[in-house]
Amino acid sequence: MYHPYLHGKQKEVLALRHLASLLGAEAVVQPVIEPMRQAATSLRHTLEACEAHRLQVWLVINPMRQDFEPLRPAQAMEWGRHFYGSLPARQWIHPVLMLGPALTPDAVRRFAHVFGTRPVGLVVGHDAPPLHDVMALLGGVDVRRVFFRDAEPAPQARAAAGPAGCVWVEDRRLPEAADLRQRDRHPFSDRHLRYRAEGFAGFSDYTTLPSRPDAPDPTPRAECFRMSFIHHDKLAGDSIWTEHFTGPRGAEDLGAGGRFRQALQGFRESLDRPDASFGPTEAVRRYLGSMITTTPPSRALSKQWEVMHHLELVSGLLTGRFAGAFPARVPEDLLGRTASPPPGLSVSEAPRPALGSPRSGGRESR
């Protein structure tokens, strides 16, 4: 089971909303959402979509960052209680308690009193109180998941979780140097191959986003985007990598639109590599549609597509939907919408039809 850790920012909740139907049907992705904003209309709409499509979501009830940093633990908990209660249905939305240095025993007892009749989760953050003590305060509450953020949980912490499934939320850092971030391909994760053998209930990361919601974007230019892909290795198994696409250096005279088209051309060519599969996902189709419309997405929309792509790619990898899709060429139905190649492409360079792969099962138990 994949538990992507989302910060509840606009691009993330919109990406999840667009994929709620697919992810709910495939049932191998259960997001964890830590809200960042007290004004949560968009988040509410996304959770309603997840509920409608039976997509299980783990929602932090007492957030502690950005809008919630000035609040005392009891205030943040009260916000979460009202927000959770405002959802018209919440069978598939699980309350999660964030364990941090500001958490008090009274706040833990309050969480148990309000949500103790439901399956709940815990997030063990930096400088959290001992998990053993928190579990004792929760008493008989049904704790189903314990998410250990960033640091791999020690054996004693995993033992303190008792029967709850443990998940390590890994900070999959990209290279620190800006020039390394913007070239070549980088290994991202192979945890889906190992988490069960290591005794975890799932695996988790921050998708391709930073682990801190306030971290500066390393690729602010509108003509840059980063996509994850499945790297095929017959011996080691299929792992997840990321690749950065941008226009060529020294081509500022092309303008943002021209550089974006150059980045798209590099992306299109990468779809033909025999050792890589980008799906194709809905986000791949949207990026390639930009080649046809010649209208580059805004930076915010591009980031939303990146998150959409990563979530669907991992879901398709776990269900076997993308099995054998090497290479995953350009979908034929997309190309059928245009009679001529995009600007800058000759007819001989026009993308080729997709190699289809049968959709297989793979529903993990809830």
Side-chain angles (χ1 to χ4, degrees):
M1 184 67 67
Y2 180 47
H3 293 282
Y5 200 99
L6 305 177
H7 294 130
K9 300 176 81 170
Q10 182 77 351
K11 59 179 176 289
E12 298 170 62
V13 296
L14 288 177
L16 183 58
R17 190 186 312 170
H18 283 293
L19 291 176
S21 175
L22 173 66
L23 298 181
E26 294 191 330
V28 293
V29 174
Q30 295 182 7
V32 183
I33 301 180
E34 180 185 350
M36 299 288 108
R37 302 279 184 263
Q38 293 192 44
T41 301
S42 185
L43 175 58
R44 180 181 291 105
H45 292 330
T46 293
L47 292 175
E48 289 173 356
C50 293
E51 178 74 22
H53 295 290
R54 300 187 173 189
L55 172 59
Q56 297 195 67
V57 175
W58 301 84
L59 177 68
V60 174
I61 294 300
N62 61 325
M64 299 181 181
R65 295 195 282 193
Q66 292 202 353
D67 281 8
F68 301 96
E69 287 179 358
L71 301 185
R72 296 190 301 273
Q75 291 176 300
M77 182 83 70
E78 196 64 11
W79 177 92
R81 184 182 72 82
H82 282 294
F83 176 72
Y84 190 82
S86 71
L87 299 173
R90 42 195 177 271
Q91 178 181 353
W92 303 90
I93 313 300
H94 304 297
V96 175
L97 179 67
M98 174 79 71
L99 310 187
L103 191 69
T104 64
D106 286 343
V108 177
R109 295 188 188 97
R110 176 64 172 163
F111 179 84
H113 175 74
V114 174
F115 303 106
T117 61
R118 302 186 52 84
V120 304
L122 303 175
V123 172
V124 180
H126 182 63
D127 291 336
L131 182 58
H132 180 272
D133 295 347
V134 174
M135 296 295 286
L137 289 170
L138 289 173
V141 174
D142 182 11
V143 180
R144 294 281 180 89
R145 287 287 187 274
V146 179
F147 302 97
F148 294 89
R149 201 168 61 188
D150 300 341
E152 182 176 8
Q156 58 267 32
R158 294 178 64 176
C166 294
V167 180
W168 178 17
V169 185
E170 296 184 70
D171 186 0
R172 292 286 178 173
R173 294 181 181 272
L174 295 173
E176 294 295 337
D179 60 332
L180 291 178
R181 287 177 179 268
Q182 298 184 19
R183 73 166 188 261
D184 213 347
R185 304 150 199 157
H186 306 283
F188 184 76
S189 178
D190 62 355
R191 290 292 296 174
H192 61 285
L193 301 172
R194 299 183 286 116
Y195 75 91
R196 284 194 181 93
E198 295 173 356
F200 288 98
F203 65 104
S204 178
D205 51 57
Y206 298 94
T207 73
T208 55
L209 298 169
S211 58
R212 286 176 31 243
D214 56 347
D217 192 334
T219 56
R221 295 189 298 263
E223 63 269 22
C224 301
F225 57 95
R226 184 170 58 240
M227 299 288 277
S228 50
F229 66 92
I230 304 169
H231 176 71
H232 184 54
D233 188 313
K234 292 182 179 179
L235 297 178
D238 294 343
S239 58
I240 302 171
W241 288 45
T242 61
E243 186 164 356
H244 185 98
F245 298 95
T246 186
R249 290 185 175 89
E252 286 75 10
D253 56 321
L254 294 176
R259 286 177 58 84
F260 180 75
R261 285 193 292 272
Q262 293 289 330
L264 279 175
Q265 173 61 12
F267 174 53
R268 194 217 68 79
E269 292 171 355
S270 73
L271 300 181
D272 293 339
R273 293 203 308 267
D275 65 341
S277 173
F278 288 82
T281 64
E282 173 61 26
V284 167
R285 293 182 174 89
R286 293 190 182 198
Y287 272 112
L288 295 174
S290 299
M291 298 180 71
I292 297 168
T293 63
T294 70
T295 303
S298 66
R299 183 60 189 156
L301 183 57
S302 183
K303 292 301 296 183
Q304 176 186 320
W305 291 355
E306 290 178 25
V307 178
M308 285 175 57
H309 170 73
H310 185 82
L311 295 178
E312 185 180 351
L313 185 79
V314 178
S315 183
L317 172 64
L318 295 179
T319 58
R321 179 159 55 96
F322 297 142
F326 296 95
R329 296 191 177 105
V330 179
E332 188 175 11
D333 61 339
L334 173 68
L335 299 178
R337 297 205 301 263
T338 181
S340 60
L345 286 179
S346 65
V347 174
S348 63
E349 292 175 319
R352 291 176 283 176
L355 293 180
S357 62
R359 179 169 175 169
S360 62
R363 290 181 67 91
E364 294 195 13
S365 63
R366 297 185 188 274

